[in-house]
Amino acid sequence: MCGIVGYIGGQNAVPILIEGLKRLEYRGYDSAGIAFFQGGKINVRRSVGKLRNLEAAISGQRLESNLGIGHTRWATHGRPSEENAHPHRAGKIVVVHNGIIENYIALKEMLIGKGHEFKSETDTEVIAHLIEEYTKKGDDTEKATRKALKELRGAYAIGVVNEDEPDRMIAARAGGPLVIGLGSQEYFIASDLPAILQYTKDAIYLDDHEMAVITTEGVRVTDMKGLPVQKDVTKVLWNPVMAEKGGYKHFMLKEIYEQPRAITDTFRGRISEETGSVFLEEMGITDAALKKIKKVVLVACGTSWHACLIGKFMLEEMARTPSEVDIASEFRYRNPIIDKHTLLVAVTQSGETADTLAAMREAKMLGAKTVAICNVVGSTAARDADGVVYTHAGPEIGVASTKAFTAQLTALYLFALHMAQVRGTLDQKQVRGCITELIKIPVKTEKLLLDVEEGIERVAKTFSKCSDFLYLGRGYNYPVALEGALKLKEISYIHAEGYPAGEMKHGPIALIDENMPVVFLLPTDSVYDKTASNLEEVRSRGGKVIAFVTEGDDKLDRKADHVFHVPATTAPLSPILMAVPLQLLAYHIAVLRGSDVDQPRNLAKSVTVE
């Protein structure tokens, strides 16, 4: 998830671009850059790292322009570096881009064959070269961009300028957010409202497969066939502080609601429902090497460790591969049994977690192959591992992980399917069925969010003053119980414990009384009846029961104090859906208790020291 901004009008574009990027830096901070007209030429300035590095690079220089575009990057293709920073140039065409181009390799090879020279590792650069190719054939920027976009597969929001057309700016989107701000003979483009709110409150939102041609005389919007589209002007009522969170009160809530997109972006371009195939080329380990693996060891910390516990279930059920899970901080202190037939999978949102990196290095020293599942391109984990599977959750600003967790589960599901495919434990028809269920998850997540939040908020009011919670689940959803308890502890400071429901009688049952809320995860699966019997045991001791069940299951409506229905899916995918309402429960309880939801005490987003 990157941030793009653009300006055309009577003011100096350069400070407007810099200020806009500051307000979008939450969307990415691996590198930043701007492009602007000066002396009849397009001047491109870029710096690796945070925006302040770009500001320092241009400080004290007289840079004035009436048109420009800018970008702050969250790296997806290519490590964070100046050459991979946006804007990208091909001849007289300059482009900024937010999104992922899935077919960029094929396009790049085609363009190289036509004589184009590439300077970066990014997918974005192909857009600039593709547009340039059409302008060479006589098309103006608008026509060339429209033709180029028809060849792209993936998601994008782009801003385009042409050195031969210094009076206009092109904007287009398909899957990436893009808003156009309307001023008095001046216009703005941005990935999000914070970048433009100090200049205008009038905006139009581009929809997918729409393009805007912007000059100082106005904005003209068309579809990809060039047909005009009438757009309504929205009066934005948010103040700048609210808008930085997209209208949400906290980043955590915003990120909870971003999960359908994060899940989609993680599997986008990696699956084919038609052929029943999973593609993980970036993993860097051959099929032949994977067939020789006798054991998978998953290591992580915190929320990522919970994802690994679920990944173990996936790998053993789907790929029939013996799997172990270790807390990374314990792994290298127990003299683990690791050899060349072991694959170590390190799961880390940031790719910089010290304990996880140490575990990975220990495994490599002992001869194991290593794969990192992480969210940050070019991170230490990604560089150190033999291969990598990137999640595409985008920057997660709230300290308590939400969308990064469900994106990790999605990546682990893809990895388990890939292993099953390579090792022949699932046939093509079975893999196709698994892919079909995965494709449904984002829509089901979106529906779930809409269906349960109001009820979750009511339950939060009922239990926000409790001092203890118990979370119970079995099978795939035992780790979700751990994660639900962790979320509550992290942001509300309530003592909470997660347990396998079958272990309740081995100790935790002693805690249950009328003051103890107990959260049950009860999807309709092979252990449903056993977990339901645990619920009866809690109920008979006066515990307050909050149950999350599969849609259509009304058996517990009279047995639980509060029941929430979760869309049906397969057992391996049920943790994604079950985790979402638990995040909302923790969030609303924390808000009611007056906690700092986004920056809970004593916690940091990434633990980079042991």
Coordinates of all heavy atoms in Angstrom, one line a residue, residues 146-233:
R146 N -4.8 4.8 -21.7 CA -6.0 3.9 -21.8 C -5.6 2.6 -22.4 O -6.0 1.5 -22.0 CB -7.1 4.6 -22.6 CG -8.4 3.8 -22.6 CD -9.5 4.6 -23.3 NE -9.9 5.7 -22.4 CZ -9.8 7.0 -22.8 NH1 -9.2 7.3 -23.9 NH2 -10.2 7.9 -22.0
K147 N -4.8 2.6 -23.5 CA -4.4 1.4 -24.2 C -3.5 0.6 -23.2 O -3.6 -0.7 -23.2 CB -3.7 1.7 -25.5 CG -4.6 2.2 -26.6 CD -3.8 2.5 -27.9 CE -4.7 3.0 -29.0 NZ -3.9 3.3 -30.2
A148 N -2.6 1.3 -22.6 CA -1.6 0.6 -21.7 C -2.4 -0.1 -20.5 O -2.1 -1.3 -20.2 CB -0.6 1.5 -21.1
L149 N -3.4 0.6 -19.9 CA -4.1 0.0 -18.8 C -4.9 -1.2 -19.2 O -5.1 -2.1 -18.4 CB -5.0 1.0 -18.2 CG -4.3 2.3 -17.6 CD1 -5.3 3.2 -17.0 CD2 -3.3 1.8 -16.5
K150 N -5.3 -1.3 -20.4 CA -6.0 -2.5 -20.9 C -5.1 -3.7 -20.9 O -5.7 -4.9 -20.9 CB -6.6 -2.2 -22.3 CG -7.8 -1.3 -22.3 CD -8.3 -1.0 -23.7 CE -9.4 0.0 -23.7 NZ -9.9 0.3 -25.1
E151 N -3.8 -3.5 -20.9 CA -2.9 -4.7 -20.9 C -2.5 -5.1 -19.5 O -1.8 -6.2 -19.4 CB -1.7 -4.3 -21.8 CG -2.0 -4.1 -23.2 CD -0.7 -4.0 -24.1 OE1 0.2 -4.9 -23.8 OE2 -0.6 -3.2 -25.0
L152 N -2.8 -4.3 -18.5 CA -2.4 -4.7 -17.2 C -3.4 -5.6 -16.5 O -4.6 -5.5 -16.7 CB -2.3 -3.4 -16.3 CG -1.4 -2.3 -16.8 CD1 -1.4 -1.1 -15.8 CD2 0.0 -2.8 -17.1
R153 N -2.8 -6.5 -15.7 CA -3.6 -7.4 -14.9 C -3.2 -7.2 -13.4 O -2.0 -7.3 -13.1 CB -3.4 -8.9 -15.3 CG -4.4 -9.8 -14.6 CD -4.3 -11.2 -15.1 NE -3.1 -11.9 -14.7 CZ -2.2 -12.3 -15.5 NH1 -2.3 -12.0 -16.8 NH2 -1.1 -12.9 -15.1
G154 N -4.1 -6.8 -12.6 CA -3.8 -6.6 -11.2 C -4.5 -5.4 -10.7 O -5.6 -5.1 -11.1
A155 N -3.9 -4.7 -9.7 CA -4.6 -3.5 -9.1 C -3.7 -2.3 -9.3 O -2.5 -2.4 -9.2 CB -4.8 -3.8 -7.6
Y156 N -4.3 -1.2 -9.5 CA -3.5 0.0 -9.6 C -4.4 1.3 -9.3 O -5.6 1.3 -9.4 CB -3.0 0.2 -11.0 CG -4.0 0.2 -12.1 CD1 -4.7 1.4 -12.4 CD2 -4.3 -0.9 -12.9 CE1 -5.7 1.4 -13.4 CE2 -5.3 -0.9 -13.9 CZ -6.0 0.3 -14.1 OH -6.9 0.3 -15.1
A157 N -3.7 2.3 -8.8 CA -4.1 3.7 -8.9 C -2.9 4.4 -9.3 O -1.8 4.3 -8.8 CB -4.6 4.2 -7.5
I158 N -3.0 5.2 -10.4 CA -1.9 5.8 -11.0 C -2.1 7.3 -11.3 O -3.2 7.8 -11.4 CB -1.4 5.2 -12.3 CG1 -2.6 5.3 -13.4 CG2 -1.1 3.7 -12.1 CD1 -2.1 4.9 -14.8
G159 N -0.9 8.0 -11.3 CA -0.9 9.4 -11.8 C 0.2 9.4 -12.9 O 1.3 8.8 -12.7
V160 N -0.1 10.1 -14.0 CA 0.8 10.1 -15.2 C 1.0 11.5 -15.7 O 0.0 12.3 -15.8 CB 0.2 9.2 -16.3 CG1 1.2 9.2 -17.5 CG2 -0.1 7.8 -15.8
V161 N 2.2 11.9 -16.0 CA 2.5 13.2 -16.7 C 3.4 12.9 -17.9 O 4.2 11.9 -17.8 CB 3.1 14.2 -15.7 CG1 2.1 14.7 -14.7 CG2 4.4 13.7 -15.1
N162 N 3.3 13.8 -18.8 CA 4.1 13.6 -20.1 C 4.9 15.0 -20.3 O 4.2 16.0 -20.3 CB 3.2 13.3 -21.3 CG 4.0 13.1 -22.6 OD1 5.1 13.5 -22.7 ND2 3.3 12.5 -23.5
E163 N 6.1 14.9 -20.5 CA 6.9 16.1 -20.7 C 6.5 16.9 -21.9 O 6.6 18.2 -21.9 CB 8.4 15.7 -20.9 CG 9.4 16.8 -20.6 CD 10.8 16.3 -20.4 OE1 11.4 16.0 -21.4 OE2 11.2 16.2 -19.2
D164 N 5.8 16.3 -22.9 CA 5.3 17.0 -24.0 C 4.0 17.6 -23.8 O 3.5 18.3 -24.7 CB 5.2 16.0 -25.2 CG 6.6 15.7 -25.8 OD1 7.5 16.5 -25.6 OD2 6.7 14.7 -26.5
E165 N 3.3 17.3 -22.7 CA 2.0 17.9 -22.3 C 2.0 18.5 -20.9 O 1.5 17.9 -20.0 CB 0.9 16.8 -22.4 CG 0.8 16.2 -23.8 CD -0.2 15.0 -23.9 OE1 -1.1 15.0 -23.1 OE2 0.0 14.1 -24.8
P166 N 2.7 19.6 -20.8 CA 2.9 20.2 -19.5 C 1.6 20.9 -18.9 O 1.7 21.5 -17.8 CB 4.0 21.3 -19.7 CG 3.8 21.7 -21.1 CD 3.3 20.4 -21.9
D167 N 0.5 20.7 -19.5 CA -0.7 21.3 -19.0 C -1.7 20.3 -18.5 O -2.9 20.7 -18.3 CB -1.3 22.2 -20.1 CG -1.7 21.4 -21.4 OD1 -1.2 20.2 -21.5 OD2 -2.5 21.9 -22.2
R168 N -1.4 19.1 -18.4 CA -2.4 18.1 -18.0 C -1.7 16.9 -17.2 O -0.5 16.7 -17.3 CB -3.1 17.5 -19.2 CG -2.3 16.7 -20.1 CD -3.1 16.3 -21.4 NE -3.6 17.5 -22.0 CZ -4.8 17.5 -22.7 NH1 -5.5 16.5 -22.7 NH2 -5.2 18.7 -23.2
M169 N -2.6 16.3 -16.4 CA -2.2 15.2 -15.6 C -3.3 14.1 -15.8 O -4.5 14.4 -15.8 CB -2.2 15.6 -14.1 CG -1.9 14.6 -13.1 SD -1.6 15.4 -11.4 CE -3.1 16.4 -11.2
I170 N -2.9 12.8 -15.8 CA -3.8 11.7 -16.0 C -3.9 10.9 -14.7 O -2.9 10.7 -14.0 CB -3.4 10.8 -17.1 CG1 -3.1 11.5 -18.4 CG2 -4.4 9.6 -17.3 CD1 -4.4 12.0 -19.1
A171 N -5.1 10.5 -14.3 CA -5.3 9.7 -13.1 C -6.2 8.5 -13.5 O -7.1 8.7 -14.3 CB -5.8 10.5 -12.0
A172 N -6.0 7.4 -13.0 CA -6.8 6.2 -13.2 C -6.7 5.2 -12.1 O -5.7 5.2 -11.3 CB -6.4 5.5 -14.6
R173 N -7.8 4.4 -12.0 CA -7.7 3.4 -10.9 C -8.4 2.1 -11.3 O -9.4 2.1 -12.1 CB -8.4 3.9 -9.6 CG -9.9 4.1 -9.7 CD -10.5 4.1 -8.3 NE -10.6 2.8 -7.8 CZ -11.1 2.5 -6.6 NH1 -11.6 3.4 -5.8 NH2 -11.2 1.2 -6.2
A174 N -8.0 1.0 -10.7 CA -8.7 -0.3 -10.7 C -8.2 -1.1 -9.5 O -7.1 -1.7 -9.5 CB -8.3 -1.0 -12.0
G175 N -8.9 -1.0 -8.5 CA -8.6 -1.7 -7.2 C -7.9 -0.9 -6.2 O -7.8 -1.3 -5.0
G176 N -7.3 0.2 -6.6 CA -6.6 1.1 -5.6 C -7.4 2.4 -5.4 O -8.0 2.9 -6.4
P177 N -7.4 2.9 -4.2 CA -8.2 4.1 -4.0 C -7.6 5.3 -4.7 O -6.4 5.5 -4.7 CB -8.1 4.2 -2.5 CG -6.8 3.6 -2.1 CD -6.7 2.5 -3.0
L178 N -8.4 6.2 -5.1 CA -8.0 7.5 -5.7 C -9.1 8.5 -5.6 O -10.2 8.3 -6.1 CB -7.6 7.3 -7.2 CG -6.6 8.3 -7.8 CD1 -5.3 8.4 -7.0 CD2 -6.4 8.1 -9.3
V179 N -8.8 9.7 -5.1 CA -9.7 10.8 -4.9 C -9.2 12.0 -5.6 O -7.9 12.2 -5.7 CB -10.0 11.1 -3.4 CG1 -8.7 11.5 -2.7 CG2 -11.0 12.1 -3.3
I180 N -10.1 12.8 -6.2 CA -9.7 14.0 -6.9 C -10.3 15.2 -6.2 O -11.5 15.2 -6.0 CB -10.2 14.0 -8.4 CG1 -9.6 12.8 -9.1 CG2 -9.8 15.3 -9.1 CD1 -10.1 12.7 -10.5
G181 N -9.4 16.1 -5.7 CA -9.9 17.3 -5.0 C -10.1 18.4 -6.0 O -9.3 18.6 -6.9
L182 N -11.2 19.1 -5.8 CA -11.6 20.2 -6.7 C -11.4 21.6 -6.0 O -12.0 21.8 -5.0 CB -13.0 20.0 -7.1 CG -13.5 18.6 -7.5 CD1 -15.0 18.6 -7.8 CD2 -12.7 18.2 -8.8
G183 N -10.6 22.4 -6.6 CA -10.4 23.8 -6.1 C -10.8 24.8 -7.1 O -11.5 24.5 -8.1
S184 N -10.4 26.0 -7.0 CA -10.7 27.1 -7.9 C -9.5 27.1 -8.9 O -8.4 27.6 -8.6 CB -10.8 28.4 -7.2 OG -11.0 29.5 -8.1
Q185 N -9.7 26.6 -10.1 CA -8.7 26.4 -11.1 C -7.5 25.7 -10.6 O -6.4 26.0 -11.1 CB -8.4 27.8 -11.7 CG -9.5 28.4 -12.5 CD -9.1 29.7 -13.2 OE1 -8.6 30.6 -12.6 NE2 -9.4 29.8 -14.5
E186 N -7.7 24.8 -9.7 CA -6.6 24.0 -9.2 C -7.2 22.6 -8.8 O -8.3 22.6 -8.3 CB -5.8 24.6 -8.1 CG -6.6 24.9 -6.8 CD -5.7 25.5 -5.7 OE1 -4.5 25.7 -6.0 OE2 -6.2 25.6 -4.6
Y187 N -6.4 21.6 -9.0 CA -7.0 20.2 -8.8 C -5.9 19.4 -8.2 O -4.7 19.6 -8.4 CB -7.5 19.7 -10.1 CG -8.6 20.5 -10.6 CD1 -8.3 21.5 -11.6 CD2 -10.0 20.4 -10.3 CE1 -9.3 22.3 -12.1 CE2 -10.9 21.2 -10.8 CZ -10.6 22.2 -11.7 OH -11.6 23.0 -12.1
F188 N -6.4 18.3 -7.4 CA -5.5 17.5 -6.7 C -5.9 16.0 -6.9 O -7.0 15.7 -7.1 CB -5.6 17.7 -5.2 CG -5.5 19.2 -4.8 CD1 -6.6 20.1 -4.9 CD2 -4.3 19.7 -4.3 CE1 -6.5 21.4 -4.6 CE2 -4.2 21.0 -3.9 CZ -5.3 21.9 -4.1
I189 N -4.9 15.1 -6.9 CA -5.2 13.7 -6.8 C -4.5 13.1 -5.6 O -3.4 13.7 -5.2 CB -4.8 12.9 -8.0 CG1 -3.2 12.9 -8.2 CG2 -5.5 13.4 -9.3 CD1 -2.7 12.0 -9.3
A190 N -5.1 12.1 -5.0 CA -4.5 11.5 -3.8 C -5.0 10.1 -3.5 O -6.2 9.8 -3.9 CB -4.7 12.4 -2.6
S191 N -4.2 9.3 -2.8 CA -4.7 8.0 -2.4 C -5.7 8.1 -1.3 O -6.6 7.2 -1.1 CB -3.5 7.2 -1.9 OG -2.6 6.9 -3.0
D192 N -5.7 9.2 -0.5 CA -6.6 9.3 0.6 C -6.8 10.8 0.9 O -5.9 11.6 0.6 CB -6.0 8.6 1.8 CG -7.1 8.1 2.8 OD1 -8.2 8.5 2.6 OD2 -6.7 7.4 3.7
L193 N -7.9 11.1 1.6 CA -8.2 12.5 1.8 C -7.3 13.3 2.6 O -7.2 14.5 2.4 CB -9.6 12.5 2.5 CG -10.8 12.2 1.6 CD1 -12.0 11.9 2.5 CD2 -11.0 13.3 0.6
P194 N -6.5 12.8 3.6 CA -5.6 13.6 4.4 C -4.7 14.5 3.5 O -4.3 15.6 4.0 CB -4.8 12.6 5.2 CG -5.7 11.4 5.3 CD -6.4 11.3 4.0
A195 N -4.3 14.0 2.4 CA -3.4 14.7 1.5 C -3.9 16.0 1.0 O -3.2 16.9 0.6 CB -2.9 13.9 0.4
I196 N -5.3 16.2 0.9 CA -5.8 17.3 0.2 C -6.8 18.2 1.1 O -7.2 19.2 0.6 CB -6.6 16.9 -1.1 CG1 -7.8 16.0 -0.7 CG2 -5.6 16.2 -2.0 CD1 -8.6 15.6 -1.9
L197 N -7.1 17.7 2.3 CA -8.2 18.4 3.0 C -7.8 19.8 3.4 O -8.7 20.6 3.7 CB -8.5 17.5 4.3 CG -9.5 16.4 4.1 CD1 -9.9 15.8 5.4 CD2 -10.7 16.9 3.4
Q198 N -6.6 20.1 3.5 CA -6.2 21.5 3.9 C -6.4 22.5 2.7 O -6.4 23.7 2.9 CB -4.8 21.6 4.5 CG -3.7 21.3 3.4 CD -2.4 21.2 4.1 OE1 -1.9 20.1 4.4 NE2 -1.8 22.4 4.4
Y199 N -6.7 21.9 1.6 CA -6.8 22.8 0.4 C -8.3 22.8 -0.1 O -8.7 23.8 -0.7 CB -5.9 22.3 -0.8 CG -4.5 22.1 -0.3 CD1 -3.9 20.9 -0.1 CD2 -3.7 23.3 -0.1 CE1 -2.6 20.7 0.2 CE2 -2.4 23.1 0.2 CZ -1.8 21.9 0.4 OH -0.5 21.8 0.8
T200 N -9.0 21.7 0.1 CA -10.4 21.7 -0.5 C -11.2 20.6 0.3 O -10.6 19.6 0.8 CB -10.4 21.3 -2.0 OG1 -11.7 21.3 -2.4 CG2 -9.7 20.0 -2.2
K201 N -12.5 20.8 0.4 CA -13.4 19.8 0.9 C -14.3 19.3 -0.1 O -15.2 18.5 0.2 CB -14.3 20.5 2.0 CG -13.5 21.0 3.3 CD -12.9 19.8 4.0 CE -12.2 20.3 5.3 NZ -13.1 20.8 6.3
D202 N -14.1 19.6 -1.4 CA -14.9 19.1 -2.5 C -14.1 18.0 -3.2 O -12.9 18.3 -3.6 CB -15.3 20.2 -3.5 CG -16.2 21.2 -2.9 OD1 -17.1 20.8 -2.0 OD2 -16.1 22.4 -3.2
A203 N -14.7 16.9 -3.4 CA -13.9 15.8 -4.0 C -14.8 14.9 -4.8 O -16.1 14.8 -4.6 CB -13.3 14.9 -2.9
I204 N -14.2 14.2 -5.8 CA -14.9 13.1 -6.5 C -14.0 11.9 -6.4 O -12.8 12.0 -6.3 CB -15.1 13.5 -8.0 CG1 -13.8 13.8 -8.8 CG2 -16.1 14.6 -8.1 CD1 -14.1 14.0 -10.3
Y205 N -14.7 10.8 -6.3 CA -14.0 9.5 -6.2 C -14.0 8.7 -7.5 O -15.1 8.4 -8.0 CB -14.6 8.7 -5.0 CG -14.5 9.3 -3.7 CD1 -15.4 10.2 -3.2 CD2 -13.4 9.0 -2.8 CE1 -15.3 10.8 -2.0 CE2 -13.3 9.6 -1.6 CZ -14.2 10.5 -1.2 OH -14.1 11.1 0.1
L206 N -12.9 8.4 -8.0 CA -12.9 7.5 -9.2 C -13.3 6.1 -8.8 O -12.9 5.6 -7.7 CB -11.5 7.5 -9.8 CG -11.0 8.7 -10.5 CD1 -9.6 8.4 -11.2 CD2 -12.0 9.2 -11.5
D207 N -14.1 5.5 -9.6 CA -14.4 4.1 -9.5 C -13.5 3.2 -10.3 O -12.7 3.7 -11.1 CB -15.9 3.8 -9.9 CG -16.8 4.5 -8.9 OD1 -16.6 4.4 -7.7 OD2 -17.8 5.1 -9.4
D208 N -13.5 1.9 -10.1 CA -12.7 1.0 -10.8 C -12.9 1.2 -12.3 O -14.0 1.3 -12.8 CB -12.9 -0.4 -10.4 CG -12.2 -0.8 -9.1 OD1 -11.4 0.0 -8.7 OD2 -12.5 -1.9 -8.6
H209 N -11.8 1.2 -13.1 CA -11.7 1.3 -14.5 C -12.2 2.6 -15.0 O -12.9 2.7 -16.1 CB -12.5 0.1 -15.1 CG -12.1 -1.2 -14.6 ND1 -10.8 -1.8 -14.8 CD2 -12.7 -2.1 -13.8 CE1 -10.7 -2.9 -14.2 NE2 -11.9 -3.2 -13.6
E210 N -11.9 3.6 -14.3 CA -12.2 5.0 -14.7 C -10.9 5.8 -14.8 O -10.0 5.5 -14.1 CB -13.2 5.7 -13.8 CG -14.6 5.2 -13.8 CD -15.5 5.9 -12.9 OE1 -15.1 6.7 -12.0 OE2 -16.8 5.7 -13.0
M211 N -10.9 6.8 -15.7 CA -9.7 7.6 -15.9 C -10.1 9.1 -15.9 O -11.2 9.4 -16.4 CB -9.1 7.3 -17.3 CG -7.9 8.2 -17.6 SD -7.4 7.9 -19.3 CE -6.7 6.2 -19.2
A212 N -9.3 9.9 -15.4 CA -9.6 11.3 -15.3 C -8.4 12.1 -16.0 O -7.2 11.8 -15.8 CB -9.7 11.8 -13.9
V213 N -8.8 13.0 -16.9 CA -7.8 13.9 -17.5 C -8.0 15.3 -16.8 O -9.1 15.8 -16.8 CB -8.1 14.1 -19.0 CG1 -7.1 15.1 -19.6 CG2 -8.0 12.7 -19.7
I214 N -7.0 15.8 -16.2 CA -7.1 17.0 -15.3 C -6.2 18.1 -15.9 O -5.0 17.9 -16.1 CB -6.6 16.6 -13.9 CG1 -7.4 15.3 -13.4 CG2 -6.9 17.8 -12.9 CD1 -6.8 14.7 -12.1
T215 N -6.8 19.2 -16.1 CA -6.1 20.4 -16.5 C -6.6 21.6 -15.5 O -7.5 21.4 -14.7 CB -6.4 20.8 -17.9 OG1 -7.8 21.3 -18.0 CG2 -6.2 19.7 -18.9
T216 N -6.0 22.8 -15.7 CA -6.5 23.9 -14.9 C -7.9 24.3 -15.2 O -8.6 25.0 -14.5 CB -5.6 25.1 -15.0 OG1 -5.4 25.4 -16.4 CG2 -4.2 24.8 -14.4
E217 N -8.4 23.8 -16.3 CA -9.8 24.1 -16.8 C -10.8 23.2 -16.2 O -12.0 23.4 -16.3 CB -9.9 24.2 -18.3 CG -9.0 25.3 -18.9 CD -9.1 25.2 -20.4 OE1 -9.8 24.4 -21.0 OE2 -8.5 26.1 -21.0
G218 N -10.4 22.0 -15.6 CA -11.4 21.1 -15.1 C -10.9 19.7 -15.1 O -9.8 19.3 -15.5
V219 N -11.9 18.8 -14.7 CA -11.7 17.4 -14.7 C -12.6 16.7 -15.6 O -13.9 16.9 -15.5 CB -11.8 16.8 -13.2 CG1 -11.6 15.3 -13.2 CG2 -10.9 17.5 -12.3
R220 N -12.1 15.8 -16.5 CA -13.0 15.0 -17.4 C -12.7 13.6 -17.1 O -11.6 13.1 -17.2 CB -12.6 15.4 -18.8 CG -13.4 14.6 -19.9 CD -13.2 15.1 -21.3 NE -11.8 15.3 -21.6 CZ -11.1 14.3 -22.1 NH1 -11.6 13.1 -22.3 NH2 -9.8 14.5 -22.4
V221 N -13.8 12.9 -16.7 CA -13.7 11.5 -16.4 C -14.4 10.6 -17.5 O -15.4 10.9 -18.0 CB -14.4 11.2 -15.0 CG1 -14.3 9.7 -14.6 CG2 -13.8 12.1 -13.9
T222 N -13.7 9.5 -17.8 CA -14.2 8.6 -18.8 C -14.0 7.1 -18.3 O -13.3 6.9 -17.3 CB -13.4 8.7 -20.1 OG1 -12.1 8.3 -19.9 CG2 -13.5 10.1 -20.7
D223 N -14.7 6.2 -19.0 CA -14.4 4.8 -18.7 C -13.3 4.3 -19.6 O -12.7 5.2 -20.3 CB -15.7 3.9 -18.9 CG -16.2 4.0 -20.3 OD1 -15.5 4.4 -21.3 OD2 -17.3 3.6 -20.5
M224 N -12.9 3.1 -19.6 CA -11.8 2.6 -20.3 C -12.0 2.5 -21.8 O -11.1 2.3 -22.6 CB -11.3 1.3 -19.8 CG -10.6 1.4 -18.5 SD -9.1 2.5 -18.6 CE -8.9 3.0 -16.9
K225 N -13.3 2.8 -22.2 CA -13.6 2.8 -23.7 C -13.5 4.3 -24.2 O -13.7 4.5 -25.3 CB -15.0 2.3 -23.9 CG -15.1 0.8 -23.7 CD -16.5 0.3 -24.0 CE -16.6 -1.2 -23.7 NZ -18.0 -1.7 -23.9
G226 N -13.3 5.2 -23.2 CA -13.3 6.6 -23.6 C -14.6 7.3 -23.5 O -14.7 8.5 -23.9
L227 N -15.6 6.6 -23.0 CA -17.0 7.2 -22.9 C -17.0 8.1 -21.7 O -16.5 7.7 -20.6 CB -18.0 6.1 -22.9 CG -18.1 5.2 -24.1 CD1 -19.1 4.1 -23.9 CD2 -18.4 6.0 -25.4
P228 N -17.7 9.2 -21.7 CA -17.7 10.1 -20.6 C -18.5 9.5 -19.4 O -19.5 8.8 -19.6 CB -18.4 11.4 -21.1 CG -19.1 10.9 -22.3 CD -18.4 9.8 -22.9
V229 N -18.1 9.8 -18.2 CA -18.7 9.4 -17.0 C -19.1 10.6 -16.1 O -18.2 11.4 -15.9 CB -17.8 8.4 -16.2 CG1 -18.5 8.0 -14.9 CG2 -17.5 7.2 -17.0
Q230 N -20.3 10.7 -15.7 CA -20.7 11.8 -14.9 C -20.4 11.5 -13.4 O -20.8 10.4 -13.0 CB -22.2 12.2 -15.0 CG -22.6 12.7 -16.4 CD -21.8 14.0 -16.7 OE1 -21.1 14.2 -17.6 NE2 -22.1 15.0 -15.8
K231 N -19.7 12.3 -12.7 CA -19.4 12.0 -11.3 C -20.0 13.1 -10.4 O -20.0 14.3 -10.7 CB -17.9 12.1 -11.1 CG -17.1 11.2 -12.1 CD -17.4 9.7 -11.8 CE -16.8 9.2 -10.5 NZ -17.0 7.8 -10.3
D232 N -20.5 12.6 -9.2 CA -21.1 13.5 -8.2 C -19.9 14.0 -7.4 O -18.9 13.4 -7.1 CB -22.0 12.7 -7.3 CG -23.3 12.3 -8.0 OD1 -23.7 13.0 -9.0 OD2 -23.8 11.2 -7.7
V233 N -20.1 15.3 -7.0 CA -19.1 15.9 -6.1 C -19.5 15.7 -4.7 O -20.7 15.9 -4.3 CB -19.0 17.4 -6.4 CG1 -18.1 18.1 -5.4 CG2 -18.6 17.7 -7.8

